[in-house]
Amino acid sequence: MYKKALITGLTGQDGAYLAKLLLDKGYEVHGLVARRSTDTRWRLRELGVDSRIVYHDGDLADASSVQRAVLKACPDEVYNLGAQSFVGSSWDQPITTGIVDGLGVTHMLEAIRQFRPQTRFYQASTSEMFGLIQAERQDENTPFYPRSPYGVAKLYGHWITVNYRESFGLHASSGILFNHESPLRGIEFVTRKVTDAVARIKQGKQRELRLGNIDAQRDWGFAGDYVEAMWLMLQQDKPDDFVIATGVTTTVREMCRIAFSYVELDYQDHVVIDPEFFRPAEVEVLLGNPAKAERVLGWSPKTNLKTLIQSMVDADLKRVAKE
Ligand code: NAP
Ligand code: G4F
């Protein structure tokens, strides 16, 4: 028998890779998609999966639409990836971020509890919850200290997932994923901002790149590897929480060097530090310890940062050349 999955955040980076993974495994894939005035399905087209998905109109802020999607899709598995996911915007839209990234999780958990309690649930939690880090390498036992409205909202989403698992026995797992990137990454995130700029500068369409805190360090992996971990979590007999990371941390500065040097440019000739891109409170460093995921899920990252950034530059070079 084939399985059915409902994905929120289907049109985002992870939603697109996850939809492809599940379709390749023979799943019937449903997506909760919020109404927008512009086209948001370009990533699904890029991966050639847009016409193979059953779409449900809905918004995580609207509990009734979430319930309707669960009732119509009758999913075996729900992957809750929908979110206002840009940390920088969360200071400008703290209330929306709180509703969608926090309360939205409860909307989905309640729909599952009331109408389909056998459904397995995945919550897209984040290393941003560690914020002002309380241990050099962060794992499932590291205390949280979020530093942005986004991190705070996601922490609520994480704990309500744990709470519904413990209160109602739901098969609800929380994946604490560290930064993961790809050619499908939104342009506002620093890796894509850099690779897009490298492509433009190389082709003479841009001269400088304005960035904020390039001394910040992140544990960056490849989104395609990380969606595999999400799926593995829901295949376990027992629900649980897992850190998904590479175990390597790199500065934004070094990531820039990798991207620019790939096309024989020196980042120091083009990067301009601009106070506009500094945050009210910064997460200076993140470094995950994925030992539990390796031991229990048999998961480990397959892609290193250099290969990842170079693949993003290649994709941006092709795209910018066609503009
Ligand atoms: P993304 O590319 O920004 O995608 C976010 C998705 O959420 C989009 O499909 C967006 O729809 C949807 N969405 C936004 N507001 C919504 C609402 N009110 N109702 C329903 N859907 C809504 O993010 P991503 O990188 O794929 O990340 C996926 C999830 O993992 C997010 O929850 C993010 O917070 C979390 N996460 C990401 C990372 C990472 O490094 N990528 C790390 C840890 C955790 P539109 O396309 O219509 O805007
Ligand atoms: O690429 P970023 O915007 O990602 P950030 O804030 O780490 O958040 C991402 O990863 C989280 C997991 O830890 C996810 F939960 C979240 O949804 C998102 O996917 O910024 C990375 C670092 C930051 O320290 C930022 O201050 O890069 C620094 N940075 C320096 N200049 C910049 C810039 N970030 C952006 N976006 N733009 C800049 O110009």
Short mmCIF file of all heavy atoms in Angstrom, two decimals, residues 47-110:
data_model
loop_
_atom_site.label_atom_id
_atom_site.label_comp_id
_atom_site.label_asym_id
_atom_site.label_seq_id
_atom_site.Cartn_x
_atom_site.Cartn_y
_atom_site.Cartn_z
N LEU A 47 12.23 20.97 -9.94
CA LEU A 47 12.50 19.55 -9.64
C LEU A 47 11.55 18.62 -10.40
O LEU A 47 11.59 17.40 -10.21
CB LEU A 47 12.38 19.30 -8.13
CG LEU A 47 13.37 20.07 -7.24
CD1 LEU A 47 13.21 19.67 -5.77
CD2 LEU A 47 14.83 19.82 -7.66
N GLY A 48 10.68 19.21 -11.22
CA GLY A 48 9.79 18.40 -12.08
C GLY A 48 8.70 17.66 -11.33
O GLY A 48 8.27 16.59 -11.76
N VAL A 49 8.22 18.24 -10.21
CA VAL A 49 7.22 17.50 -9.41
C VAL A 49 5.89 18.25 -9.26
O VAL A 49 4.95 17.71 -8.69
CB VAL A 49 7.76 17.18 -7.98
CG1 VAL A 49 8.97 16.26 -8.05
CG2 VAL A 49 8.10 18.44 -7.20
N ASP A 50 5.79 19.46 -9.82
CA ASP A 50 4.62 20.30 -9.55
C ASP A 50 3.30 19.65 -9.95
O ASP A 50 2.29 19.80 -9.26
CB ASP A 50 4.76 21.69 -10.19
CG ASP A 50 4.97 21.60 -11.69
OD1 ASP A 50 5.73 20.71 -12.12
OD2 ASP A 50 4.38 22.41 -12.41
N SER A 51 3.28 18.90 -11.05
CA SER A 51 2.02 18.34 -11.54
C SER A 51 1.66 17.03 -10.84
O SER A 51 0.61 16.45 -11.09
CB SER A 51 2.10 18.12 -13.05
OG SER A 51 3.14 17.20 -13.29
N ARG A 52 2.54 16.56 -9.95
CA ARG A 52 2.29 15.26 -9.31
C ARG A 52 1.80 15.43 -7.87
O ARG A 52 1.73 14.46 -7.12
CB ARG A 52 3.58 14.42 -9.34
CG ARG A 52 4.02 14.12 -10.77
CD ARG A 52 5.44 13.59 -10.81
NE ARG A 52 5.58 12.32 -10.11
CZ ARG A 52 6.75 11.81 -9.71
NH1 ARG A 52 7.86 12.48 -9.94
NH2 ARG A 52 6.79 10.67 -9.06
N ILE A 53 1.44 16.66 -7.50
CA ILE A 53 1.07 16.95 -6.11
C ILE A 53 -0.40 17.31 -6.02
O ILE A 53 -0.96 17.93 -6.93
CB ILE A 53 1.97 18.09 -5.58
CG1 ILE A 53 3.38 17.54 -5.36
CG2 ILE A 53 1.42 18.69 -4.29
CD1 ILE A 53 4.45 18.54 -5.27
N VAL A 54 -1.05 16.91 -4.91
CA VAL A 54 -2.44 17.32 -4.66
C VAL A 54 -2.38 18.55 -3.76
O VAL A 54 -1.86 18.48 -2.64
CB VAL A 54 -3.23 16.19 -3.94
CG1 VAL A 54 -4.70 16.58 -3.80
CG2 VAL A 54 -3.06 14.86 -4.67
N TYR A 55 -2.89 19.67 -4.27
CA TYR A 55 -2.78 20.94 -3.54
C TYR A 55 -4.02 21.22 -2.70
O TYR A 55 -5.15 20.97 -3.15
CB TYR A 55 -2.58 22.10 -4.53
CG TYR A 55 -1.27 22.02 -5.27
CD1 TYR A 55 -1.18 21.36 -6.51
CD2 TYR A 55 -0.12 22.58 -4.74
CE1 TYR A 55 0.03 21.28 -7.19
CE2 TYR A 55 1.10 22.50 -5.42
CZ TYR A 55 1.16 21.85 -6.64
OH TYR A 55 2.36 21.76 -7.30
N HIS A 56 -3.80 21.74 -1.49
CA HIS A 56 -4.90 22.17 -0.62
C HIS A 56 -4.65 23.64 -0.27
O HIS A 56 -3.58 23.97 0.24
CB HIS A 56 -4.95 21.33 0.66
CG HIS A 56 -5.13 19.87 0.39
ND1 HIS A 56 -6.37 19.27 0.35
CD2 HIS A 56 -4.23 18.89 0.12
CE1 HIS A 56 -6.21 17.97 0.08
NE2 HIS A 56 -4.93 17.73 -0.06
N ASP A 57 -5.64 24.45 -0.53
CA ASP A 57 -5.52 25.87 -0.22
C ASP A 57 -5.60 26.03 1.30
O ASP A 57 -6.52 25.50 1.92
CB ASP A 57 -6.71 26.58 -0.89
CG ASP A 57 -6.49 28.06 -1.01
OD1 ASP A 57 -5.36 28.51 -0.76
OD2 ASP A 57 -7.46 28.76 -1.33
N GLY A 58 -4.66 26.74 1.90
CA GLY A 58 -4.75 26.90 3.36
C GLY A 58 -3.58 27.69 3.91
O GLY A 58 -2.60 27.96 3.21
N ASP A 59 -3.71 28.05 5.16
CA ASP A 59 -2.69 28.88 5.81
C ASP A 59 -2.55 28.38 7.25
O ASP A 59 -3.55 28.11 7.92
CB ASP A 59 -3.16 30.34 5.80
CG ASP A 59 -2.03 31.30 6.16
OD1 ASP A 59 -1.47 31.17 7.28
OD2 ASP A 59 -1.72 32.18 5.35
N LEU A 60 -1.32 28.27 7.72
CA LEU A 60 -1.11 27.75 9.08
C LEU A 60 -1.72 28.66 10.15
O LEU A 60 -2.02 28.21 11.26
CB LEU A 60 0.38 27.57 9.36
CG LEU A 60 0.99 26.32 8.73
CD1 LEU A 60 2.52 26.42 8.70
CD2 LEU A 60 0.55 25.08 9.50
N ALA A 61 -1.94 29.94 9.80
CA ALA A 61 -2.57 30.86 10.75
C ALA A 61 -4.07 30.62 10.86
O ALA A 61 -4.72 31.13 11.76
CB ALA A 61 -2.29 32.30 10.33
N ASP A 62 -4.62 29.85 9.94
CA ASP A 62 -6.07 29.63 9.86
C ASP A 62 -6.36 28.17 10.22
O ASP A 62 -6.25 27.27 9.39
CB ASP A 62 -6.53 29.96 8.43
CG ASP A 62 -8.02 29.83 8.25
OD1 ASP A 62 -8.66 29.00 8.96
OD2 ASP A 62 -8.58 30.55 7.40
N ALA A 63 -6.77 27.97 11.48
CA ALA A 63 -6.95 26.58 11.98
C ALA A 63 -7.95 25.80 11.14
O ALA A 63 -7.78 24.59 10.91
CB ALA A 63 -7.39 26.62 13.44
N SER A 64 -8.98 26.48 10.64
CA SER A 64 -10.02 25.74 9.90
C SER A 64 -9.45 25.18 8.59
O SER A 64 -9.79 24.07 8.19
CB SER A 64 -11.24 26.64 9.62
OG SER A 64 -10.90 27.66 8.72
N SER A 65 -8.57 25.95 7.95
CA SER A 65 -8.01 25.45 6.68
C SER A 65 -7.04 24.29 6.94
O SER A 65 -6.93 23.37 6.12
CB SER A 65 -7.31 26.58 5.91
OG SER A 65 -6.13 27.00 6.57
N VAL A 66 -6.37 24.32 8.07
CA VAL A 66 -5.45 23.23 8.43
C VAL A 66 -6.26 21.96 8.69
O VAL A 66 -5.93 20.87 8.19
CB VAL A 66 -4.60 23.63 9.66
CG1 VAL A 66 -3.76 22.46 10.15
CG2 VAL A 66 -3.72 24.82 9.34
N GLN A 67 -7.36 22.11 9.43
CA GLN A 67 -8.23 20.95 9.71
C GLN A 67 -8.77 20.35 8.41
O GLN A 67 -8.78 19.13 8.23
CB GLN A 67 -9.42 21.39 10.55
CG GLN A 67 -9.08 21.66 11.99
CD GLN A 67 -10.29 22.18 12.76
OE1 GLN A 67 -11.42 22.18 12.28
NE2 GLN A 67 -10.04 22.63 13.98
N ARG A 68 -9.22 21.24 7.52
CA ARG A 68 -9.80 20.77 6.25
C ARG A 68 -8.77 19.98 5.46
O ARG A 68 -9.08 18.93 4.88
CB ARG A 68 -10.31 21.98 5.45
CG ARG A 68 -11.40 21.60 4.46
CD ARG A 68 -12.01 22.83 3.77
NE ARG A 68 -12.38 23.89 4.70
CZ ARG A 68 -11.79 25.10 4.75
NH1 ARG A 68 -10.83 25.42 3.92
NH2 ARG A 68 -12.18 26.00 5.63
N ALA A 69 -7.55 20.48 5.42
CA ALA A 69 -6.50 19.78 4.66
C ALA A 69 -6.24 18.39 5.24
O ALA A 69 -6.09 17.42 4.50
CB ALA A 69 -5.22 20.61 4.67
N VAL A 70 -6.23 18.29 6.57
CA VAL A 70 -6.00 16.98 7.21
C VAL A 70 -7.16 16.05 6.89
O VAL A 70 -6.97 14.87 6.55
CB VAL A 70 -5.78 17.15 8.73
CG1 VAL A 70 -5.82 15.81 9.46
CG2 VAL A 70 -4.46 17.86 9.00
N LEU A 71 -8.38 16.56 6.99
CA LEU A 71 -9.56 15.73 6.73
C LEU A 71 -9.60 15.27 5.27
O LEU A 71 -9.97 14.14 4.98
CB LEU A 71 -10.83 16.50 7.08
CG LEU A 71 -11.13 16.56 8.58
CD1 LEU A 71 -12.21 17.61 8.88
CD2 LEU A 71 -11.57 15.19 9.09
N LYS A 72 -9.20 16.14 4.36
CA LYS A 72 -9.26 15.78 2.93
C LYS A 72 -8.11 14.86 2.53
O LYS A 72 -8.29 13.92 1.76
CB LYS A 72 -9.20 17.04 2.06
CG LYS A 72 -10.54 17.75 1.95
CD LYS A 72 -10.40 18.82 0.89
CE LYS A 72 -11.73 19.42 0.51
NZ LYS A 72 -11.55 20.60 -0.36
N ALA A 73 -6.91 15.14 3.05
CA ALA A 73 -5.75 14.37 2.61
C ALA A 73 -5.65 13.01 3.30
O ALA A 73 -5.10 12.07 2.75
CB ALA A 73 -4.46 15.17 2.88
N CYS A 74 -6.21 12.91 4.53
CA CYS A 74 -6.07 11.68 5.34
C CYS A 74 -4.62 11.18 5.32
O CYS A 74 -4.35 10.03 4.92
CB CYS A 74 -6.98 10.57 4.81
SG CYS A 74 -8.70 10.93 5.02
N PRO A 75 -3.68 12.00 5.75
CA PRO A 75 -2.27 11.63 5.60
C PRO A 75 -1.80 10.59 6.62
O PRO A 75 -2.27 10.57 7.76
CB PRO A 75 -1.53 12.96 5.85
CG PRO A 75 -2.45 13.73 6.75
CD PRO A 75 -3.85 13.33 6.39
N ASP A 76 -0.86 9.75 6.19
CA ASP A 76 -0.15 8.88 7.14
C ASP A 76 0.93 9.67 7.85
O ASP A 76 1.28 9.37 8.99
CB ASP A 76 0.50 7.71 6.40
CG ASP A 76 -0.56 6.87 5.68
OD1 ASP A 76 -1.36 6.24 6.38
OD2 ASP A 76 -0.59 6.90 4.43
N GLU A 77 1.48 10.66 7.14
CA GLU A 77 2.57 11.47 7.69
C GLU A 77 2.33 12.94 7.36
O GLU A 77 1.93 13.27 6.24
CB GLU A 77 3.92 11.03 7.08
CG GLU A 77 4.28 9.59 7.42
CD GLU A 77 5.48 9.05 6.63
OE1 GLU A 77 6.15 9.84 5.92
OE2 GLU A 77 5.72 7.84 6.72
N VAL A 78 2.56 13.80 8.35
CA VAL A 78 2.51 15.26 8.12
C VAL A 78 3.90 15.82 8.38
O VAL A 78 4.50 15.55 9.43
CB VAL A 78 1.48 15.94 9.04
CG1 VAL A 78 1.67 17.47 9.03
CG2 VAL A 78 0.05 15.61 8.61
N TYR A 79 4.40 16.62 7.44
CA TYR A 79 5.67 17.32 7.60
C TYR A 79 5.35 18.81 7.70
O TYR A 79 4.93 19.43 6.71
CB TYR A 79 6.59 17.04 6.41
CG TYR A 79 6.99 15.59 6.31
CD1 TYR A 79 6.18 14.65 5.66
CD2 TYR A 79 8.18 15.14 6.88
CE1 TYR A 79 6.54 13.31 5.58
CE2 TYR A 79 8.56 13.81 6.80
CZ TYR A 79 7.74 12.90 6.15
OH TYR A 79 8.09 11.58 6.08
N ASN A 80 5.53 19.38 8.90
CA ASN A 80 5.16 20.79 9.09
C ASN A 80 6.37 21.70 8.86
O ASN A 80 7.10 22.03 9.79
CB ASN A 80 4.60 21.00 10.50
CG ASN A 80 4.03 22.40 10.64
OD1 ASN A 80 3.37 22.91 9.72
ND2 ASN A 80 4.30 23.05 11.74
N LEU A 81 6.54 22.09 7.60
CA LEU A 81 7.69 22.91 7.21
C LEU A 81 7.30 24.38 7.01
O LEU A 81 8.17 25.24 6.86
CB LEU A 81 8.30 22.39 5.89
CG LEU A 81 8.56 20.89 5.78
CD1 LEU A 81 9.25 20.58 4.45
CD2 LEU A 81 9.41 20.39 6.92
N GLY A 82 6.03 24.67 6.98
CA GLY A 82 5.57 26.04 6.70
C GLY A 82 6.01 26.98 7.81
O GLY A 82 5.86 26.67 8.99
N ALA A 83 6.54 28.15 7.43
CA ALA A 83 6.98 29.12 8.44
C ALA A 83 7.37 30.43 7.77
O ALA A 83 7.70 30.46 6.58
CB ALA A 83 8.21 28.58 9.20
N GLN A 84 7.34 31.50 8.56
CA GLN A 84 8.07 32.73 8.20
C GLN A 84 9.48 32.39 8.65
O GLN A 84 9.79 32.46 9.83
CB GLN A 84 7.46 33.92 8.97
CG GLN A 84 7.97 35.28 8.52
CD GLN A 84 9.48 35.47 8.62
OE1 GLN A 84 10.22 35.27 7.63
NE2 GLN A 84 9.98 35.82 9.77
N SER A 85 10.34 32.04 7.70
CA SER A 85 11.59 31.37 8.06
C SER A 85 12.81 32.29 8.05
O SER A 85 13.92 31.84 8.33
CB SER A 85 11.84 30.19 7.11
OG SER A 85 12.27 30.68 5.86
N PHE A 86 12.63 33.55 7.69
CA PHE A 86 13.78 34.46 7.61
C PHE A 86 13.96 35.18 8.95
O PHE A 86 13.12 36.00 9.35
CB PHE A 86 13.62 35.45 6.46
CG PHE A 86 14.84 36.30 6.24
CD1 PHE A 86 16.11 35.73 6.18
CD2 PHE A 86 14.72 37.67 6.09
CE1 PHE A 86 17.24 36.51 5.99
CE2 PHE A 86 15.86 38.46 5.89
CZ PHE A 86 17.11 37.88 5.85
N VAL A 87 15.06 34.88 9.63
CA VAL A 87 15.32 35.43 10.97
C VAL A 87 15.26 36.96 10.94
O VAL A 87 14.63 37.59 11.79
CB VAL A 87 16.70 34.94 11.48
CG1 VAL A 87 17.06 35.62 12.79
CG2 VAL A 87 16.70 33.42 11.62
N GLY A 88 15.89 37.56 9.93
CA GLY A 88 15.94 39.02 9.84
C GLY A 88 14.55 39.65 9.84
O GLY A 88 14.32 40.68 10.49
N SER A 89 13.61 39.06 9.13
CA SER A 89 12.25 39.62 9.05
C SER A 89 11.47 39.44 10.34
O SER A 89 10.45 40.08 10.53
CB SER A 89 11.46 38.95 7.91
OG SER A 89 11.99 39.32 6.68
N SER A 90 11.94 38.55 11.20
CA SER A 90 11.13 38.26 12.39
C SER A 90 11.10 39.43 13.37
O SER A 90 10.19 39.52 14.18
CB SER A 90 11.57 36.95 13.06
OG SER A 90 12.79 37.09 13.75
N TRP A 91 12.08 40.35 13.28
CA TRP A 91 12.01 41.55 14.13
C TRP A 91 11.02 42.56 13.55
O TRP A 91 10.47 43.36 14.27
CB TRP A 91 13.39 42.21 14.25
CG TRP A 91 14.28 41.54 15.26
CD1 TRP A 91 14.23 41.69 16.62
CD2 TRP A 91 15.34 40.61 15.01
NE1 TRP A 91 15.20 40.90 17.21
CE2 TRP A 91 15.90 40.24 16.25
CE3 TRP A 91 15.87 40.06 13.84
CZ2 TRP A 91 16.95 39.36 16.36
CZ3 TRP A 91 16.92 39.17 13.95
CH2 TRP A 91 17.46 38.83 15.20
N ASP A 92 10.82 42.51 12.21
CA ASP A 92 9.86 43.42 11.57
C ASP A 92 8.44 42.87 11.64
O ASP A 92 7.48 43.63 11.59
CB ASP A 92 10.24 43.63 10.10
CG ASP A 92 11.62 44.26 9.96
OD1 ASP A 92 11.93 45.15 10.79
OD2 ASP A 92 12.38 43.87 9.07
N GLN A 93 8.31 41.54 11.70
CA GLN A 93 6.98 40.90 11.74
C GLN A 93 6.92 39.91 12.90
O GLN A 93 6.67 38.70 12.69
CB GLN A 93 6.71 40.17 10.43
CG GLN A 93 6.74 41.06 9.21
CD GLN A 93 6.56 40.26 7.93
OE1 GLN A 93 5.85 39.27 7.87
NE2 GLN A 93 7.22 40.68 6.88
N PRO A 94 7.12 40.39 14.13
CA PRO A 94 7.18 39.45 15.26
C PRO A 94 5.84 38.75 15.52
O PRO A 94 5.83 37.59 15.95
CB PRO A 94 7.58 40.34 16.45
CG PRO A 94 7.18 41.72 16.04
CD PRO A 94 7.34 41.78 14.56
N ILE A 95 4.74 39.44 15.23
CA ILE A 95 3.43 38.84 15.55
C ILE A 95 3.07 37.76 14.54
O ILE A 95 2.71 36.64 14.90
CB ILE A 95 2.36 39.95 15.66
CG1 ILE A 95 2.76 40.89 16.82
CG2 ILE A 95 0.97 39.35 15.89
CD1 ILE A 95 1.96 42.17 16.91
N THR A 96 3.22 38.10 13.25
CA THR A 96 2.98 37.07 12.22
C THR A 96 3.89 35.87 12.45
O THR A 96 3.45 34.71 12.34
CB THR A 96 3.27 37.64 10.81
OG1 THR A 96 2.49 38.81 10.63
CG2 THR A 96 2.95 36.64 9.72
N THR A 97 5.15 36.14 12.74
CA THR A 97 6.10 35.04 12.96
C THR A 97 5.62 34.17 14.13
O THR A 97 5.65 32.93 14.04
CB THR A 97 7.51 35.60 13.24
OG1 THR A 97 7.89 36.45 12.15
CG2 THR A 97 8.54 34.48 13.38
N GLY A 98 5.16 34.82 15.20
CA GLY A 98 4.67 34.07 16.36
C GLY A 98 3.45 33.23 16.03
O GLY A 98 3.33 32.07 16.44
N ILE A 99 2.55 33.80 15.24
CA ILE A 99 1.31 33.08 14.91
C ILE A 99 1.62 31.88 14.00
O ILE A 99 1.19 30.76 14.26
CB ILE A 99 0.28 34.03 14.26
CG1 ILE A 99 -0.20 35.06 15.29
CG2 ILE A 99 -0.91 33.24 13.69
CD1 ILE A 99 -1.05 36.18 14.73
N VAL A 100 2.37 32.14 12.93
CA VAL A 100 2.59 31.07 11.93
C VAL A 100 3.56 30.01 12.47
O VAL A 100 3.27 28.81 12.44
CB VAL A 100 3.12 31.66 10.61
CG1 VAL A 100 3.45 30.55 9.62
CG2 VAL A 100 2.11 32.63 10.01
N ASP A 101 4.71 30.47 13.00
CA ASP A 101 5.77 29.53 13.39
C ASP A 101 5.50 28.89 14.75
O ASP A 101 6.04 27.83 15.07
CB ASP A 101 7.13 30.25 13.45
CG ASP A 101 7.53 30.86 12.10
OD1 ASP A 101 6.68 30.97 11.22
OD2 ASP A 101 8.70 31.24 11.95
N GLY A 102 4.69 29.58 15.58
CA GLY A 102 4.37 29.05 16.91
C GLY A 102 2.99 28.42 16.93
O GLY A 102 2.84 27.19 16.88
N LEU A 103 1.97 29.29 16.96
CA LEU A 103 0.59 28.78 17.05
C LEU A 103 0.21 27.85 15.90
O LEU A 103 -0.58 26.92 16.09
CB LEU A 103 -0.38 29.97 17.00
CG LEU A 103 -0.95 30.52 18.29
CD1 LEU A 103 -2.08 31.48 17.98
CD2 LEU A 103 -1.46 29.38 19.18
N GLY A 104 0.75 28.13 14.72
CA GLY A 104 0.45 27.30 13.55
C GLY A 104 0.74 25.83 13.81
O GLY A 104 0.06 24.94 13.30
N VAL A 105 1.75 25.57 14.63
CA VAL A 105 2.11 24.18 14.95
C VAL A 105 0.97 23.55 15.76
O VAL A 105 0.58 22.39 15.52
CB VAL A 105 3.45 24.12 15.74
CG1 VAL A 105 3.89 22.68 15.93
CG2 VAL A 105 4.53 24.93 15.04
N THR A 106 0.43 24.31 16.69
CA THR A 106 -0.69 23.79 17.49
C THR A 106 -1.91 23.55 16.60
O THR A 106 -2.66 22.59 16.81
CB THR A 106 -1.05 24.77 18.63
OG1 THR A 106 0.16 25.15 19.28
CG2 THR A 106 -1.97 24.12 19.63
N HIS A 107 -2.13 24.43 15.63
CA HIS A 107 -3.26 24.20 14.72
C HIS A 107 -3.14 22.82 14.07
O HIS A 107 -4.11 22.07 13.98
CB HIS A 107 -3.31 25.29 13.64
CG HIS A 107 -3.68 26.64 14.17
ND1 HIS A 107 -3.40 27.81 13.52
CD2 HIS A 107 -4.33 27.02 15.31
CE1 HIS A 107 -3.85 28.84 14.20
NE2 HIS A 107 -4.41 28.39 15.31
N MET A 108 -1.94 22.50 13.62
CA MET A 108 -1.76 21.21 12.94
C MET A 108 -1.85 20.04 13.94
O MET A 108 -2.50 19.02 13.67
CB MET A 108 -0.41 21.19 12.20
CG MET A 108 -0.17 19.93 11.40
SD MET A 108 -1.47 19.58 10.19
CE MET A 108 -0.89 20.55 8.80
N LEU A 109 -1.21 20.20 15.09
CA LEU A 109 -1.25 19.11 16.08
C LEU A 109 -2.68 18.84 16.55
O LEU A 109 -3.08 17.69 16.74
CB LEU A 109 -0.35 19.46 17.27
CG LEU A 109 1.15 19.31 17.02
CD1 LEU A 109 1.95 20.02 18.11
CD2 LEU A 109 1.55 17.84 16.94
N GLU A 110 -3.46 19.91 16.73
CA GLU A 110 -4.86 19.75 17.16
C GLU A 110 -5.67 19.03 16.08
O GLU A 110 -6.50 18.16 16.38
CB GLU A 110 -5.49 21.12 17.44
CG GLU A 110 -5.50 21.49 18.89
CD GLU A 110 -6.21 20.45 19.77
OE1 GLU A 110 -7.45 20.35 19.70
OE2 GLU A 110 -5.52 19.76 20.53
#
